[in-house]
Amino acid sequence: MNTKQTIRKILFVLLWVVIGGGMITLLVAAIGKKKKEVCRNYIITIKGNADNYFVDKKDILRLVSASTDGKIIGQHLSGIKMKKVEELLEDNEWIQEAELWFDNKNILNITVTEREPIARVFTTAGNTFYIDSNTKRMGLSDKISARVPVFTGFPEKRTWNNKDSALMKDIKTIAGFVQADTFWNSQVSQLDIVSCGFNCWNFEMIPVVGNHTVRLGNAENMKQKFERLFIFYKQILSKSGFDKYPVLDVQYKGQVIGVKEKLTSKIDSVQLRKNIEKLLKQSSEVQ
């Protein structure tokens, strides 16, 4: 190796040493400056159902302030532990996810995604709670009440087992179907959970309009069961009255079984028919 090549290599190494040293100096200076900078403001954003916020900006501000010694504006950036604050927010049963970051103006952005209830459940002891799409339990809110399908008869237990988790999945399936259908969302008053033995349960639907109970069986083929019931509603309206059958059973494939009973009164029968016709008409117009 000649002298010129050796000199070139030395100069090349020295150049990168200088560049590396400069970058480290700038980085250290930037970190030092960042430590001295303070939060200038904050922006809180809530994602969820815009008509039904179960947590508001005051709730979020209170939680964030509690983790920053009572102040946000004027707090050193290094004094706001982002991960800690996110975990604190996500401990709230109504918050699914929380994200915090600073923009280039030192404004703290706080974005919260709410859990959205899909069903309200009443236990056999009379206690009640909501569940979300992940079957996570949530307490009631003192701000608003969610308009979701109501389930009664859930076993009262301190701890859940696999059976309870499977039951929750069935509740989620039925609640999702009811909410997605305009007619049934208006017609379903509540759904009762009925035990049929060890690790076995069925569902019975109580309608808003009509003096009858609908036996749905388990959560399998729920769409087909409600379709059969919808057709039966249409057919019975043109015959002898909507309250002719106090019990309708749609749990068996391809069947709708009705248990007959005397009509309560002609006036009741006519009024029930009118009410259900109104629901059917509204459903058809929406669809």
Side-chain angles (χ1 to χ4, degrees):
M1 183 180 295
N2 57 40
T3 305
K4 289 184 178 180
Q5 289 178 330
T6 303
I7 293 173
R8 285 175 184 170
K9 285 188 176 181
I10 293 173
L11 290 175
F12 181 79
V13 172
L14 288 174
L15 177 63
W16 279 107
V17 169
V18 171
I19 293 174
M23 292 180 65
I24 293 173
T25 302
L26 290 173
L27 182 61
V28 171
I31 293 173
K33 181 181 178 183
K34 202 70 175 177
K35 287 183 178 180
K36 295 179 181 179
E37 291 181 345
V38 297
C39 177
R40 294 183 178 179
N41 208 338
Y42 59 85
I43 298 174
I44 298 174
T45 303
I46 302 175
K47 295 181 179 179
N49 190 332
D51 298 325
N52 296 308
Y53 283 146
F54 290 89
V55 291
D56 55 30
K57 293 183 178 181
K58 290 182 180 179
D59 297 326
I60 296 169
L61 180 59
R62 183 170 62 252
L63 289 171
V64 176
S65 298
S67 65
T68 57
D69 298 326
K71 67 176 182 178
I72 299 176
I73 299 175
Q75 179 75 258
H76 285 93
L77 302 191
S78 59
I80 299 177
K81 309 301 181 183
M82 309 286 236
K83 188 65 178 177
K84 178 183 176 182
V85 178
E86 288 177 352
E87 291 175 351
L88 178 65
L89 290 170
E90 290 172 358
D91 282 341
N92 185 290
E93 60 184 350
W94 284 102
I95 296 177
Q96 180 175 342
E97 185 179 10
E99 292 182 306
L100 279 77
W101 72 93
F102 281 104
D103 61 19
N104 56 7
K105 295 181 180 179
N106 290 346
I107 295 176
L108 178 62
N109 289 264
I110 307 166
T111 300
V112 166
T113 302
E114 272 197 337
R115 296 186 183 276
E116 294 189 27
I118 62 169
R120 183 170 179 178
V121 179
F122 285 85
T123 69
T124 51
N127 296 314
T128 183
F129 55 87
Y130 292 112
I131 64 168
D132 69 358
S133 57
N134 295 318
T135 67
K136 178 181 173 61
R137 292 176 61 162
M138 300 177 291
L140 303 187
S141 170
D142 57 359
K143 294 181 175 63
I144 58 174
S145 178
R147 189 179 182 278
V148 292
V150 174
F151 292 78
T152 61
F154 191 89
E156 178 67 35
K157 294 181 179 180
R158 292 185 178 181
T159 59
W160 286 11
N161 53 33
N162 292 334
K163 175 184 174 182
D164 300 320
S165 297
L167 177 54
M168 276 297 179
K169 289 180 180 178
D170 283 354
I171 291 174
K172 172 186 171 181
T173 298
I174 299 174
F177 173 82
V178 170
Q179 280 192 301
D181 188 282
T182 305
F183 177 78
W184 294 117
N185 199 30
S186 300
Q187 172 65 346
V188 175
S189 173
Q190 70 182 58
L191 296 120
D192 296 331
I193 303 167
V194 181
S195 175
C196 53
F198 177 73
N199 201 27
C200 176
W201 52 83
N202 289 320
F203 295 89
E204 293 185 354
M205 187 268 281
I206 308 299
V208 173
V209 179
N211 296 322
H212 61 278
T213 299
V214 181
R215 294 173 183 166
L216 298 169
N218 57 33
E220 295 180 359
N221 304 314
M222 194 55 56
K223 180 180 179 181
Q224 290 79 2
K225 292 173 182 177
F226 274 105
E227 284 176 349
R228 292 199 298 274
L229 181 60
F230 187 81
I231 293 171
F232 192 75
Y233 273 7
K234 285 186 174 180
Q235 291 177 344
I236 200 171
L237 287 174
S238 61
K239 296 180 181 179
S240 46
F242 188 70
D243 57 349
K244 180 178 180 180
Y245 300 97
V247 177
L248 299 176
D249 195 328
V250 297
Q251 60 184 311
Y252 303 107
K253 185 177 180 180
Q255 298 182 46
V256 178
I257 301 173
V259 180
K260 292 185 178 181
E261 188 177 83
K262 292 182 181 180
L263 294 175
T264 54
S265 72
K266 186 175 180 180
I267 295 177
D268 290 342
S269 178
V270 171
Q271 186 59 50
L272 286 171
R273 189 183 299 116
K274 288 181 179 179
N275 291 342
I276 199 66
E277 283 176 343
K278 181 179 179 181
L279 276 176
L280 289 167
K281 182 179 179 182
Q282 289 175 346
S283 177
S284 298
E285 289 174 350
V286 171
Q287 293 175 359

